[in-house]
Amino acid sequence: MASFWNVIFVLAVIAAICLGVWKAPLDKFVAKHDQTTTRVTLVLGLSVCYLMWAITFLAQLHPLIQPRRNDLRPEVEDIRLAFN
């Protein structure tokens, strides 16, 4: 079952990945003067993707609007609307 702890767990994983990206030697992949830009870009990209996922996940976990059934027959829906 989905819960708020999933968000906390994924946050810990993303934080560990960001720390790994920040501390990893990038000498083989990126020029010396571009290492800071590469690190900031990767950490910022991971952070923004996590925020988007967390907002979407929590919005589905605790919706503001209650879903409405649409699998009723039309005649039942008409009677239901007449009594409301």
Side-chain angles (χ1 to χ4, degrees):
M1 190 68 179
S3 70
F4 179 72
W5 291 109
N6 293 350
V7 176
I8 300 299
F9 175 73
V10 173
L11 175 64
V13 170
I14 294 296
I17 292 172
C18 287
L19 184 64
V21 165
W22 197 261
K23 296 290 183 180
L26 298 176
D27 298 337
K28 297 178 183 177
F29 307 109
V30 182
K32 185 75 171 168
H33 62 278
D34 288 338
Q35 286 185 8
T36 304
T37 305
T38 303
R39 286 183 174 130
V40 169
T41 302
L42 290 172
V43 170
L44 187 63
L46 283 169
S47 303
V48 170
C49 286
Y50 167 76
L51 279 175
M52 188 63 202
W53 172 81
I55 290 168
T56 304
F57 183 81
L58 290 173
Q60 292 179 7
L61 189 61
H62 301 290
L64 295 176
I65 301 171
Q66 184 177 11
R68 186 167 169 251
R69 287 183 61 179
N70 63 355
D71 60 341
L72 298 175
R73 296 185 310 263
E75 58 272 6
V76 174
E77 185 69 23
D78 293 338
I79 293 170
R80 197 170 140 233
L81 289 175
F83 287 111
N84 284 337

